[in-house]
Structures are given as C-alpha cells and as structure tokens.
Amino acid sequence: MTVTLDAADVFALGPAGAVAAVREALSGGLDPDGDAARTVVPLARGQGLLMPSEHDGWFGVKVATVAPGNAARGLRRINATYLLHDSATLTPVALLDGVALTTLRTPAVSVAACLDRLRALAEETAGAGLRLVVFGAGPQGRGHAVTVRAHVPVADVTVVTRGEGAVPGWADRRQAGARETAELVRRADVVVTATSAREPVVDGRLVRDGAVVLAVGSHEPDVRELDSALMERATVLVESRATALREAGDVVLAVRDGALAPDALVALSDPAASRAMPPACRPLVVKTCGMGWQDLVVAVAAHRRKAREGGAEGRN
C-alpha cells in the first residue's frame, strides 16, 4: 500500500533528523557523483524538473515545477511531488509532499557538509553563539537559519532583503541598506544566500577569513549569488564536481573568470571533505544545487519515522 506523507509528516523528521540522514548516507558510502543527473524540461511558463535516484534498496523521483510568474498570482513559485519505491519490487510505497521535502533537505545538506566547521566556530565564541546573515526571507532562508540553530548556538540572525518589511519570526532583525549590510557581512560567522538573484548579492571582499558561506539560490550555470572575488579566496565545497561544473553558476562563472580551478573543488565524496576546515585565513563556501540522492535519503528517513509512529516496522 502506498502511504501519503503531507507537509507536516515530512517536517516532523526535523532538521536534526534530516542532517543525520544525509551524514549517515555519505559515511555509508553513497557517492553523489554516481547519481542520475537532473532533467530540466523547458515549459511555456517555466521549467519542469525530474530528479531520480536509487540507493540502499530504495528508488525515488521528484517531479518539480518552477513558475517565475506565480509570485504575481499569489501562488508558490515551486511545486513538487515525491514518489518513493522499494527497489526490490519497484513498488511505490510512499507519496511525499515534494515542497516540504525540498525545504527540509536543502539546508540539511548545507549544514551536514560543514557541521564540523560550524561546531569549531561555535566553540570559538565561548558560548556566545554564531552571528548569521541570511540573504533572502523565503523558506530556504528560514530553513537554513533554523537548521544551523538546531546544531550550534546562534547569537543573532539578520535577514537581508531588497525592500523593507516585517521581521520574520526566525530572525532578530531585517536589513535593506547597503552600508549597514556590508558591516554585518564583515562581522558574520555564517552567511547564507538563498535568493532568486541572478547577480552576486555578497561582496566577496567583505566576508571575513574563517567564515562559512552557504549558497543555495541557483542551479543554473549563468546565474550566481557569489562573486569571483570570494570564490578565489575560499575553499569551495560542492556536492559533486560534475554537478557543480554543469549547474552551479557560482562555480561555472568563477572558473570562466580564472578565479577558481575545477580541480580545486572539494566534493562531499572526497576524503578531504571530512577535513574541509581550512585555516582561518580562508572562508569556507558550501555551494549546493540540489541532487536526487538528497531527496531520497531524507524521504526514506521521513517515511521510516512515519512508519514507526504508526506502529509499522517500515522496510529496512
């Protein structure tokens, strides 16, 4: 029987559960470079995305749509559904809310990739907590702030937007002025870029040595949130070299500019990834595009949690 997990069921896994699922899969030998590539289907009013993956006895596929014009209609820009199968029989076992799954797994991957570095930064504050600056007030901005806070102490969160507005409940303040934003970036321990911008939103010269930058806004090769100045200074950690060089504009354009060498990228599957704590003279950039394996491992964890809650064992 195919069970349905609505948004509440998916979010019930929580940030810690999602991060644990990602880290366990990677430590168990999952190789992101072996994942199937995302298929992008141009549509009359946007894009269709197909993201399949198979791992550890499970197969799943996310069908997502991106409709830029939906904001003007008061509708969601991104919609998605996820279908999880048992690999042995290829029988569908669960249908999940794909938007909730994306919202949960994206910050989970960012934090899983640099958790050791975040913990080291938190220790340096002697309990005072990290200072976060988040570009973008949408679900991914919130998700990253919440997921970081679930793993390390946070002193304050500033959300940066293009215009004025109310301060969201997950932030301490909202900032729109360029001069004030520059000073906040200089002092930040963690900078998150989760926007729909097509040009850099952060001046890479301002990011302090030792800071962490989590960039998640784009999976298009001609779109970037981070400039080449930052990519040249930083250790750049990506999900997969092939994916980053194909889809991550932040990486592709920095390579084009001669600021970043492809073989300098650190991938999650590299032995060096576990040591991605560069000296304090370099920022750490975690650039993710989103891959099918991430949806799969978090979907499996949410499905198992739901099965336990219902008294069923779930398939192992």
Side-chain angles (χ1 to χ4, degrees), residues 160-219:
V160 178
T161 60
R162 286 175 291 185
E164 301 292 341
V167 179
W170 49 270
D172 297 290
R173 68 185 66 82
R174 185 167 184 154
Q175 186 59 253
R179 181 176 297 179
E180 295 83 0
T181 298
E183 183 56 33
L184 288 166
V185 170
R186 285 190 182 95
R187 296 189 293 108
D189 299 299
V190 180
V191 177
V192 177
T193 59
T195 74
S196 59
R198 303 188 68 85
E199 299 290 339
V201 296
V202 177
D203 182 340
R205 298 168 300 179
L206 302 179
V207 177
R208 74 174 183 82
D209 294 336
V212 172
V213 180
L214 308 177
V216 299
S218 169
H219 60 265

Side-chain angles (χ1 to χ4, degrees), residues 22-311:
V22 172
R23 286 172 67 89
E24 287 168 10
L26 291 169
S27 65
L30 184 150
D31 180 7
D33 282 315
D35 209 26
R38 180 201 331 260
T39 298
V40 180
V41 182
L43 302 174
R45 295 292 183 268
Q47 292 180 332
L49 307 176
L50 303 178
M51 299 178 65
S53 187
E54 183 176 17
H55 173 68
D56 196 27
W58 298 92
F59 167 72
V61 60
K62 183 168 72 178
V63 179
T65 57
V66 182
N70 274 6
R73 301 182 179 96
L75 300 174
R76 291 193 305 204
R77 178 173 176 267
I78 297 175
N79 288 279
T81 302
Y82 195 85
L83 186 58
L84 180 66
H85 302 72
D86 180 327
S87 277
T89 64
L90 297 182
T91 303
V93 297
L95 183 68
L96 294 84
D97 184 303
V99 174
L101 181 62
T102 303
T103 301
L104 184 64
R105 65 83 159 143
T106 302
V109 175
S110 297
V111 171
C114 64
L115 184 54
D116 294 339
R117 177 63 173 269
L118 291 176
R119 287 171 171 164
L121 282 172
E123 288 180 6
E124 293 174 9
T125 71
L130 302 182
R131 294 165 294 192
L132 272 63
V133 175
V134 180
F135 287 79
Q140 283 303 330
R142 176 188 183 279
H144 277 74
V146 169
T147 304
V148 171
R149 196 185 292 274
H151 290 84
V152 293
V154 171
D156 61 80
V157 179
T158 301
V159 59
V160 178
T161 60
R162 286 175 291 185
E164 301 292 341
V167 179
W170 49 270
D172 297 290
R173 68 185 66 82
R174 185 167 184 154
Q175 186 59 253
R179 181 176 297 179
E180 295 83 0
T181 298
E183 183 56 33
L184 288 166
V185 170
R186 285 190 182 95
R187 296 189 293 108
D189 299 299
V190 180
V191 177
V192 177
T193 59
T195 74
S196 59
R198 303 188 68 85
E199 299 290 339
V201 296
V202 177
D203 182 340
R205 298 168 300 179
L206 302 179
V207 177
R208 74 174 183 82
D209 294 336
V212 172
V213 180
L214 308 177
V216 299
S218 169
H219 60 265
E220 298 174 75
D222 59 345
V223 176
R224 71 198 323 185
E225 294 178 298
L226 307 180
D227 61 18
S228 290
L230 176 59
M231 302 300 273
E232 186 173 32
R233 294 176 53 210
T235 295
V236 181
L237 179 59
V238 297
E239 303 137 301
S240 147
R241 284 190 188 85
T243 298
L245 292 169
R246 182 178 62 246
E247 300 182 3
D250 306 81
V251 171
V252 172
L253 297 176
V255 170
R256 183 204 64 185
D257 293 342
L260 179 65
D263 59 4
L265 297 171
V266 180
L268 286 177
S269 60
D270 292 347
S274 63
R275 302 190 299 274
M277 292 179 58
C281 61
R282 294 176 69 87
L284 173 62
V285 167
V286 179
K287 171 55 192 171
T288 60
C289 296
M291 298 180 67
W293 67 267
Q294 301 160 4
D295 294 307
L296 180 63
V297 299
V298 175
V300 169
H303 171 58
R304 285 176 168 163
R305 189 213 63 81
K306 179 69 172 178
R308 290 193 300 269
E309 182 184 73

